[in-house]
Amino acid sequence: MSEIRDIWVCAHNILRSSRLLINQELDSLDLSSAEGNILFHLIAQGDGLRQEEIVEQIDISKPAVSRAVRSLEEKGYLVRRKDPDDRRASQVLLTTKAREIGPQIEQVYNDVFAIATQAASKEEIEYFIALFSRVSARYSEAWANRRYGKEKK
């Protein structure tokens, strides 16, 4: 029977190895992994997010997101504008330059995903994604319940 340590070791290796591969590919685009993750997230999810939302959604620290957004802004990939609903916050928006490089960024992540798919059949990959989606949702629910004091098992 598998134990949590088996899953933990495999999950950690998947994340670490895929991050290293992505970093290597993003380097040719003059992007750090944090910059690439932010761009990929905004391309996939839609822009107009506040920096705080980016921090929560991709689990990068506030200072790291701040640095990456500033760098991406200097490189011409992002602009910040005041959130019309909350003048204290800024929305992060993709520029035309970011949208033009978007397919290359997506290809980096797709190439890394393709490596994983070589290890399994189409059906196994679909099952894996469905299973991980359910597990992910469960962890998110558990975190939200604990974070807001609604402990529930």
Side-chain angles (χ1 to χ4, degrees):
M1 180 172 167
S2 294
E3 296 185 24
I4 186 63
R5 70 174 165 240
D6 299 324
I7 294 169
W8 198 263
V9 167
C10 288
H12 177 74
N13 184 55
I14 289 168
L15 291 173
R16 181 181 177 281
S17 298
S18 60
R19 189 177 322 112
L20 291 171
L21 290 165
I22 288 168
N23 286 343
Q24 186 178 36
E25 294 301 314
L26 288 175
D27 190 51
S28 68
L29 298 172
D30 190 32
L31 294 170
S32 71
S33 61
E35 292 170 339
N37 286 339
I38 290 169
L39 286 175
F40 183 65
H41 186 71
L42 292 173
I43 290 164
Q45 300 295 319
D47 61 354
L49 296 176
R50 289 180 287 126
Q51 281 187 221
E52 294 78 17
E53 293 172 313
I54 295 170
V55 167
E56 286 181 20
Q57 292 176 11
I58 62 176
D59 199 29
I60 298 176
S61 71
K62 283 183 184 182
V65 168
S66 248
R67 283 189 304 272
V69 167
R70 188 176 321 109
S71 176
L72 287 165
E73 199 170 26
E74 290 168 3
K75 292 177 182 180
Y77 293 115
L78 297 177
V79 293
R80 284 184 269 195
R81 78 163 184 228
K82 289 293 179 192
D83 186 332
D85 298 326
D86 181 356
R87 286 294 191 191
R88 296 167 296 163
S90 293
Q91 291 179 318
V92 179
L93 303 163
L94 297 167
T95 64
T96 301
K97 183 178 178 180
R99 293 183 194 285
E100 289 171 355
I101 198 174
Q104 289 174 274
I105 293 168
E106 287 184 280
Q107 190 61 52
V108 167
Y109 288 84
N110 286 334
D111 289 348
V112 170
F113 180 69
I115 292 168
T117 62
Q118 293 170 359
S121 70
K122 182 180 177 184
E123 293 78 21
E124 288 172 318
I125 293 296
E126 288 172 0
Y127 177 78
F128 180 82
I129 291 170
L131 175 63
F132 262 53
S133 293
R134 290 193 312 269
V135 170
S136 174
R138 181 62 189 110
Y139 276 126
S140 294
E141 178 186 335
W143 169 244
N145 288 338
R146 289 181 185 178
R147 182 178 183 190
Y148 299 110
K150 300 180 216 169
E151 185 73 31
K152 176 174 118 178
K153 294 189 180 188

